[in-house]
Amino acid sequence: MDEIRIGIAGLGGRSRRWISTLLKMPGYRITALYDWIEPLHERALSLIEYRNDVVVFSDYEDFLSYENMDAVGLVVRRKDQGAMAAQALEAGKHVNMEVPAAHTMEDCWRIVTAAERTGRVYQLAEQTRYWGFVDAWRDLVAEGRLGRVTYCEGQYIGYYGTRQFFQDYKTGQQCRVEELPSHPGAEPTWLHLMPPIHYLPHELSPMLKVLDDRVVEVTAMSTGSPSYSHPEIDQPDIQVALMKTEKDRLLRMAAGFMQKIPSRRGHHWYQVIGTRGCVEWKRSEKGRPLMWLADSQMHDLAEVDWNFERTDAPAEAHGSGHGDADYYVHTAFRNAVVENKPLEFDVYRAMETAAPAVLAAESIARGTELMKVPDFRPNRSRASGQMPEGV
Ligand SMILES: NC(=O)c1ccc[n+]([C@@H]2O[C@H](COP(=O)([O-])OP(=O)(O)OC[C@H]3O[C@@H](n4cnc5c(N)ncnc54)[C@H](O)[C@@H]3O)[C@@H](O)[C@H]2O)c1
């Protein structure tokens, strides 16, 4: 195989970026599109020059049984998106899916065991792990420049406004709270109901890569709902998870979609503290990331010109989205499917970004109970391809 025949499932806002990126990348051919909202089909088709060769579906099972398709690009926003990924693997398709990987522990396990049983490629298209500064921080940690890392923070605190919280499923039109009176058919979407802490993959994925670690325990807290910013939205404004890792580090990670922030890219923030130094992401667009090394005659934190964009990005990566990082997830997936190149961000690491977030929400529901995060890799009590006992 030298070209992946891919079908895109979910034709909302994010899929447009997927389609335009895949159309430019060698090794991909879009052969199918799927969304249960039929009025969205034409908008997606209109982006594709060879549209007459693309088959459009509004039923997921029909889409999955389409033979002229090797892989599914899963770009839906739904409570059961993890189950949809597992179903696609079970149907014999490779899967590249948008974050988060799953919203329940059962769906995490379904994905792992389906990938193990079928041998199909499963990738979570989490792209922030490819940012330039993430590799720089990973190297600093691996070389011991920060000493023993004891603490790490990450947060996705941004403002979605009231966008995407209500949608008319007959027309596909999404509407803001202020527009609700003129959209009587609009219903709350999954984003309206999803615990914000489920959106931790963009923090866990890069920081666990930096630390080369995984979360083993999690507890969490939440502000109340409805939102203080928009009482029409039955969502808490902020949720915070406190986690412990296998290598005895503490992580504090937070997520919220309703907090007004000063800059467009300011919703991501990270810091790592070790026994011999620390690094910190910038606080404002004009600011710079910071670093301090205890053994380097540094009296204070120093500014470092790290960025999202990589200094070694090829020309094709530029403009692909999210500081060029979107390019890398599609490249890694293509190389895994076409060249059998093992994914660095494999199915186990992907679940390590989803499960702590799912369990953080469970901890909140149980009054901040401490939750244990399972190891998804096969071991003496779970053979590859088998569901663990009790799930
Ligand atoms: N990696 C990133 O930076 C990034 C950025 C934006 C969105 N996302 C992720 O991408 C996904 C999609 O986001 P979006 O903004 O396009 O959402 P959206 O709500 O605009 O679009 C999702 C689409 O999926 C469709 N859909 C939902 N359930 C379906 C089903 N069962 N069958 C068929 N179609 C179904 C909806 O009809 C809708 O058209 C989400 O999971 C989101 O978290 C990731």
Side-chain angles (χ1 to χ4, degrees):
M1 183 197 295
D2 53 9
E3 192 174 65
I4 306 173
R5 298 168 300 171
I6 191 165
I8 307 296
L11 304 177
R14 180 70 177 141
S15 71
R16 274 178 276 175
R17 177 67 81 172
W18 273 60
I19 292 171
S20 63
T21 303
L22 294 180
L23 288 173
K24 282 188 228 135
M25 288 188 78
Y28 281 104
R29 176 98 183 157
I30 298 173
T31 56
L33 297 175
Y34 159 70
D35 199 295
W36 61 350
I37 304 177
E38 290 181 1
L40 296 177
H41 294 175
E42 177 53 34
R43 188 178 70 180
L45 268 178
S46 70
L47 301 171
I48 307 173
E49 209 176 292
Y50 53 85
R51 56 177 291 160
N52 293 337
D53 300 336
V54 179
V55 182
V56 182
F57 296 88
S58 39
D59 179 274
Y60 195 49
E61 283 181 13
D62 291 348
F63 169 74
L64 290 184
S65 28
Y66 185 47
E67 284 188 358
N68 190 28
M69 181 173 85
D70 311 301
V72 171
L74 192 57
V75 198
V76 296
R77 203 188 270 283
R78 273 183 69 88
K79 183 170 186 187
D80 60 356
Q81 63 197 59
M84 288 175 79
Q87 208 183 330
L89 290 165
E90 284 153 9
K93 310 298 183 190
H94 304 287
V95 172
N96 192 13
M97 85 177 286
E98 265 299 352
V99 296
H103 296 286
T104 68
M105 289 303 289
E106 188 185 349
D107 286 348
C108 291
W109 280 114
R110 271 193 71 184
I111 291 172
V112 166
T113 52
E116 288 172 344
R117 273 197 313 276
T118 62
R120 293 293 183 269
V121 173
Y122 169 86
Q123 181 185 258
L124 182 65
E126 197 298 307
Q127 75 279 50
T128 67
R129 67 188 294 108
Y130 294 101
W131 280 338
F133 83 90
V134 171
D135 276 15
W137 289 16
R138 179 202 57 193
D139 293 348
L140 283 170
V141 171
E143 290 158 9
R145 301 295 308 278
L146 305 184
R148 190 183 200 297
V149 173
T150 49
Y151 183 62
C152 170
E153 290 186 273
Q155 63 190 43
Y156 186 104
I157 297 181
Y159 186 64
Y160 278 31
T162 52
R163 207 163 43 96
Q164 291 174 320
F165 284 91
F166 298 92
Q167 185 167 32
D168 185 329
Y169 291 110
K170 288 204 182 71
T171 62
Q173 220 181 339
Q174 294 172 338
C175 82
R176 296 170 172 273
V177 167
E178 313 87 69
E179 296 165 341
L180 280 173
S182 54
H183 291 77
E187 294 173 43
T189 61
W190 166 236
L191 189 59
H192 182 111
L193 305 170
M194 179 181 103
I197 203 75
H198 279 195
Y199 213 63
L200 278 194
H202 286 317
E203 327 314 313
L204 282 169
S205 165
M207 290 304 107
L208 292 178
K209 180 180 178 188
V210 165
L211 302 176
D212 185 24
D213 209 345
R214 74 177 185 92
V215 175
V216 293
E217 286 178 350
V218 58
T219 182
M221 280 196 189
S222 176
T223 55
S225 51
S227 155
Y228 292 105
S229 302
H230 293 288
E232 303 84 346
I233 294 179
D234 196 18
Q235 269 257 18
D237 292 285
I238 285 284
Q239 296 190 320
V240 182
L242 201 55
M243 296 170 264
K244 191 163 213 187
T245 70
E246 196 165 45
K247 294 183 180 169
D248 194 25
R249 280 102 169 224
L250 296 186
L251 312 185
R252 183 216 51 105
M253 297 208 169
F257 301 130
M258 240 78 77
Q259 305 294 315
K260 292 199 168 149
I261 47 158
S263 78
R264 198 172 59 80
R265 308 210 307 181
H267 51 280
H268 293 287
W269 188 81
Y270 310 92
Q271 80 162 326
V272 178
I273 296 179
T275 53
R276 288 172 51 214
C278 57
V279 285
E280 182 175 329
W281 189 238
K282 60 186 177 180
R283 278 290 182 187
S284 70
E285 282 298 303
K286 288 193 203 103
R288 286 274 182 277
L290 300 169
M291 176 174 72
W292 178 73
L293 300 176
D295 305 330
S296 296
Q297 296 298 327
M298 295 173 72
H299 291 272
D300 199 357
L301 290 154
E303 293 186 345
V304 185
D305 194 19
W306 287 312
N307 221 324
F308 292 150
E309 286 79 6
R310 301 179 65 95
T311 53
D312 57 0
E316 311 87 83
H318 296 150
S320 64
H322 297 94
D324 299 343
D326 285 0
Y327 164 85
Y328 291 92
V329 293
H330 297 297
T331 305
F333 185 71
R334 182 194 58 204
N335 294 346
V337 174
V338 174
E339 297 167 21
N340 284 325
K341 220 171 161 179
L343 286 171
E344 175 268 331
F345 190 42
D346 61 16
V347 67
Y348 305 111
R349 289 198 171 117
M351 292 313 124
E352 285 163 7
T353 73
V358 169
L359 291 169
E362 258 185 69
S363 166
I364 292 166
R366 297 181 189 201
T368 310
E369 193 176 313
L370 186 69
M371 311 295 291
K372 300 274 180 202
V373 183
D375 186 350
F376 287 92
R377 290 164 186 80
N379 56 32
R380 261 175 293 159
S381 57
R382 188 188 74 83
S384 177
Q386 273 178 9
M387 286 291 258
E389 266 179 47
V391 176

